[in-house]
């Protein structure tokens, strides 16, 4: 029943202490929340071009079932169940793989054929920031700034109002350059300004992730995270960014596969006070690693942002109860909130490690483009397993105590089941399933059908982690879509042991349904 599905998302109040902020920064924070709200109508249309009309129809149904359908529609940000292979629940048609970015009847082959015959269209058609539409018997690329002007214009103005209020120069510079990017579709300069942002009030706002585009993995969705930072906590983690080059050198892959990137890579610990767009669909992000522009990464690295209040809430409401039901009782003593936090951190750090470009087809191509629709799930799996691999390296280097090893391995394995509950149609869930099934095959964990619990063999898991990091990086380095599809087909589904274990998690929330008091919610 839809009412049961709605209950799987636990209401959670997410806020921060803003009493220490100067009045000017509190006012700027309010403007940033307003600017972020303008992105929701954009993302709704990116997820499904007809979302506004569908929602209006659902609003008209005042029955209990109708109210549940509307509530679930709002959680899923559309009429398809993101937790169940995009199964339709508010329409009678399947989800188009291109979401709202392309004509629903457009195939990847047709698009590639069009570009092949018109190479001058390639840059616009493959841009992160264009929609593809049919016009006069052909195809056209429509810039986001044109397609979404009704919302981007007001959002840009609110960013500029916030810039006029703040006393922080780095925030002022970013807000002005990002407002200009909303009007020009050129995000390069403002991405670099965001990397330099160092403020008590911070915002990540713009078109970033390409998960919604399952046709080609090209088009970026709008989202926003409005946060209040903790400089002291951030400073304690800053030593890890200095170790990124050493982590790259330590990867279990040939030297020619390794990548040199910019070394700035700041780390921020923040509390989330508002999210919008792609950041507020079904499963709520606990951390992110941006920007995705490899030009900026080459120059300045990437910023890792840890949403502390979200991480802590998910550990207590979701992660701990899952582990208590799926792990052998003797291993529960190793479950660790600190390990969960650090696996989250090193997951984000690991997005900046490993192959960035491939020599596929004789040209230097971003791995993201070479792997197409297989990229997102493979990259999330890589970041997960490489995160664990790098923490093990940090233990050997003495940055964590040896006693942290079992906590990390047990907590990492248990945490994968939290992600699989997002559904294997979603990149993080499919990537987590790939890891679990690979580890089961390699006897790094065993499943007891009688108790429906797993026991981790920590020595075998450590070795299996190394092998999986190697294999995923080599697929990325080759830009091998066929190998990626085969890996995901073989391991990226819910296996029988997973099904039995997940079947015993009734009553544990799948994720959070955020409530933001500072936004008046």
């Amino acid at each position: 029943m839809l009412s049961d599905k709605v209950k799987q998302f636990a209401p959670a109040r997410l806020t921060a202490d803003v009493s220490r902020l100067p009045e000017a920064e509190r006012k700027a924070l309010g403007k940033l929340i307003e600017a972020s709200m303008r992105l929701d109508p954009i993302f709704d249309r990116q997820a499904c071009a007809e979302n506004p009309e569908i929602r209006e129809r659902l609003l008209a149904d005042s029955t209990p079932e109708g109210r549940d359908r509307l509530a679930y529609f709002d959680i899923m940000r559309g009429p398809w169940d993101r937790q169940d292979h995009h199964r339709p629940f508010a329409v009678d048609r399947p989800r188009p793989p291109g979401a709202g970015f392309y004509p629903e009847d457009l195939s990847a082959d047709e698009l590639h054929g069009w570009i092949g015959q018109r190479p001058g269209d390639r840059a616009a058609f493959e841009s992160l920031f264009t929609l593809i539409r049919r016009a006069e018997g052909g195809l056209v690329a429509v810039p986001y700034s044109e397609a979404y002007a009704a919302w981007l214009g007001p959002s840009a103005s609110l960013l500029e109002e916030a810039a006029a209020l703040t006393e922080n120069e780095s925030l002022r510079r970013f807000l002005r350059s990002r407002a200009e990017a909303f009007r020009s579709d050129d995000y390069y300069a403002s991405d670099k300004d965001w990397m330099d942002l160092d403020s008590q009030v911070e915002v990540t706002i713009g078109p970033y992730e390409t998960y919604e585009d399952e046709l080609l993995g090209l088009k970026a969705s709008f989202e926003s995270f409005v946060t209040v930072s903790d400089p002291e906590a951030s400073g304690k983690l800053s030593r890890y960014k200095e170790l990124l080059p050493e982590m790259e050198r330590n990867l279990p892959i040939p030297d020619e596969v390794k990548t040199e990137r910019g070394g700035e890579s700041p780390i921020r610990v923040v509390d989330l006070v508002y999210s919008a767009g792609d950041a507020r669909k079904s499963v709520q992000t606990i951390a992110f690693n941006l920007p995705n522009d490899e030009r900026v990464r080459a120059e300045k690295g990437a910023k890792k942002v840890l949403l502390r209040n979200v991480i802590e809430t998910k550990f207590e409401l979701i992660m701990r109860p899952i582990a208590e039901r799926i792990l052998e009782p003797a291993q529960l003593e190793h479950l660790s909130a600190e390990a969960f936090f650090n696996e989250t951190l090193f997951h984000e750090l690991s997005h900046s490690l490993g192959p960035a470009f491939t020599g596929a087809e004789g040209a230097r191509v971003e791995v993201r483009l070479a792997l197409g629709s297989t990229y997102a799930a493979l990259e999330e799996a890589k970041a997960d397993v490489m995160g664990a691999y790098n923490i093990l390296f940090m233990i050997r280097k003495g940055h964590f105590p040896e006693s942290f090893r079992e906590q990390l391995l047990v907590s990492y394995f248990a945490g994968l089941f939290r992600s699989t509950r997002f559904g294997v149609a979603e990149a993080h869930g499919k990537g987590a399933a790939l890891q679990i099934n690979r580890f089961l095959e390699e006897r790094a964990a065993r499943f007891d059908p009688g108790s429906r619990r797993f026991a981790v063999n920590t020595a075998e898991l450590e070795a299996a982690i190394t092998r999986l990091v190697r294999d995923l990086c080599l697929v990325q380095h080759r830009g091998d879509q066929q190998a990626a599809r085969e890996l995901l087909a073989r391991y990226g589904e819910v296996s029988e042991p997973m099904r039995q274990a997940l079947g015993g998690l009734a009553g544990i929330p799948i994720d959070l349904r955020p409530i933001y008091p500072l936004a008046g919610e």
Side-chain angles (χ1 to χ4, degrees):
M1 293 179 60
L2 281 175
S3 60
D4 295 328
K5 288 180 173 288
V6 172
K7 292 173 185 175
Q8 291 178 324
F9 294 83
R13 290 168 58 87
L14 299 173
T15 191
D17 179 7
V18 296
S19 61
R20 59 186 171 83
L21 294 178
E23 183 180 0
E25 305 310 306
R26 290 200 299 272
K27 289 181 177 178
L29 184 70
K31 292 292 183 182
L32 296 178
I33 291 172
E34 288 186 58
S36 301
M37 290 176 177
R38 303 306 191 276
L39 300 191
D40 277 321
I42 299 176
F43 177 70
D44 286 338
R45 289 160 174 80
Q46 290 182 316
C48 173
E50 296 179 23
N51 261 349
E53 292 78 15
I54 296 170
R55 192 176 192 282
E56 282 297 316
R57 188 171 70 248
L58 297 179
L59 272 170
D61 185 351
S62 59
T63 65
E65 184 179 355
R67 289 194 295 271
D68 288 336
R69 185 171 288 108
L70 176 63
Y72 202 56
F73 176 94
D74 288 341
I75 293 170
M76 293 294 113
R77 301 303 290 269
W80 298 287
D81 191 341
R82 295 176 183 273
Q83 314 310 120
D84 187 13
H85 299 272
H86 294 301
R87 188 185 302 276
F89 66 88
V91 292
D92 58 1
R93 66 183 190 279
R95 178 189 185 273
F101 300 109
Y102 309 89
E104 289 195 8
D105 62 347
L106 181 69
S107 68
D109 287 342
E110 182 184 354
L111 186 60
H112 288 315
W114 177 275
I115 295 173
Q117 294 172 14
R118 300 164 183 81
D121 284 353
R122 180 177 297 276
F125 274 60
E126 291 187 348
S127 167
L128 289 163
F129 314 125
T130 61
L131 302 178
I132 306 302
R133 294 291 181 253
R134 295 194 183 278
E136 300 177 357
L139 297 173
V140 295
V142 183
Y144 282 1
S145 58
E146 177 183 329
Y148 304 127
W151 304 282
L152 287 177
S155 184
S157 296
L158 285 161
L159 293 181
E160 289 168 336
E161 290 178 31
L165 289 166
T166 182
E167 296 176 356
N168 182 281
E169 179 55 35
S170 68
L171 179 59
R172 181 183 301 116
R173 183 170 58 250
F174 167 66
L175 294 177
R176 287 174 175 166
S177 63
R178 185 46 52 109
E180 178 57 32
F182 279 2
R183 301 179 179 113
S184 69
D185 300 297
D186 183 355
Y187 288 86
Y188 176 63
S190 58
D191 273 348
K192 293 199 293 183
D193 288 340
W194 181 78
M195 284 293 297
D196 295 334
L197 180 57
D198 186 5
S199 170
Q200 289 178 285
V201 171
E202 296 206 2
V203 64
T204 304
I205 185 167
Y208 288 108
E209 306 293 0
T210 60
Y211 300 129
E212 288 296 295
D213 177 4
E214 295 182 1
L215 185 69
L216 292 170
L218 287 175
K219 303 305 177 184
S221 299
F222 278 92
E223 65 182 344
S224 180
F225 300 89
V226 183
T227 64
V228 176
S229 66
D230 184 335
E232 183 178 353
S234 301
K236 289 178 181 177
L237 301 181
S238 63
R239 68 184 186 275
Y240 296 124
K241 72 178 182 181
E242 309 299 334
L243 297 170
L244 279 169
E246 194 171 352
M247 291 182 215
E248 183 78 40
R249 291 192 294 272
N250 182 63
L251 292 178
I253 54 179
D255 287 344
E256 62 269 20
V257 180
K258 297 170 183 176
T259 303
E260 290 187 14
R261 293 178 173 90
E264 294 184 28
S265 296
I267 299 170
R268 295 283 187 270
V269 177
V270 303
D271 289 316
L272 181 67
V273 299
Y274 191 73
S275 64
D278 194 36
R280 199 172 181 176
K281 67 180 184 189
S282 59
V283 175
Q284 306 304 301
T285 298
I286 59 177
F288 54 89
N289 172 77
L290 293 172
N292 289 326
D293 188 331
E294 286 294 348
R295 297 174 300 169
V296 180
R297 286 174 178 253
E299 292 179 46
K300 303 178 81 68
K303 187 188 296 185
K304 297 87 174 79
V305 180
L306 298 157
L307 305 175
R308 178 176 56 192
N309 54 347
V310 185
I311 294 172
E312 292 173 349
T313 302
K314 287 200 183 192
F315 184 83
E316 293 303 327
L317 284 183
I318 302 170
M319 173 70 176
R320 186 187 298 280
I322 287 175
E324 288 171 348
R325 293 196 199 176
I326 69 163
L327 286 179
E328 186 177 83
Q331 292 191 319
L332 283 173
E333 65 178 336
H334 302 303
L335 186 68
S336 162
E338 183 184 0
F340 181 59
F341 181 89
N342 279 286
E343 168 61 20
T344 302
L345 167 62
F346 278 81
H347 171 109
E348 299 306 331
L349 289 169
S350 296
H351 276 306
S352 295
L353 300 171
F357 295 92
T358 174
E361 301 178 3
R364 190 169 185 263
V365 178
E366 283 188 39
V367 169
R368 175 182 62 83
L369 294 174
L371 291 182
S373 61
T374 66
Y375 171 75
L378 210 70
E379 174 63 19
E380 292 305 327
K382 182 212 83 173
D384 273 348
V385 69
M386 190 183 286
Y389 177 85
N390 282 322
I391 295 176
L392 292 166
F393 179 49
M394 292 296 103
I395 292 171
R396 294 198 299 276
K397 297 287 291 183
H399 296 289
F400 293 99
E402 179 61 33
S403 60
F404 196 56
R405 184 181 303 274
E406 279 194 292
Q407 293 178 23
L408 177 275
L409 291 167
V410 171
S411 300
Y412 157 65
F413 183 78
L416 295 173
F417 287 86
R418 181 186 69 86
S419 299
T420 59
R421 297 179 81 216
F422 304 161
V424 294
E426 190 270 346
H428 299 77
K430 184 172 282 291
L434 185 158
Q435 294 165 80
I436 293 169
N437 289 320
R438 172 83 173 237
F439 296 149
L440 289 173
E441 180 179 273
E442 297 191 355
R443 302 183 183 280
R446 61 174 175 78
F447 178 68
D448 179 359
S451 64
R452 295 198 296 189
R453 291 177 181 266
F454 293 88
V456 178
N457 183 322
T458 54
E460 290 295 333
L461 180 57
E462 188 165 347
I465 283 170
T466 299
R467 290 190 293 269
L468 185 54
V469 169
R470 177 200 63 202
D471 291 352
L472 294 176
C473 284
L474 291 178
V475 170
Q476 289 189 328
H477 174 67
R478 296 194 305 268
D480 191 340
Q481 278 199 42
Q482 181 59 33
R485 279 194 290 268
E486 289 172 0
L487 267 176
L488 293 169
R490 180 173 179 179
Y491 298 111
E493 299 296 333
V494 177
S495 61
E496 183 58 24
M498 288 174 60
R499 187 191 66 77
Q500 290 188 40
L502 292 170
L505 302 182
I508 299 174
I510 285 178
D511 209 69
L512 310 179
R513 193 174 185 182
I515 299 168
Y516 298 114
L518 290 180
E521 298 180 355

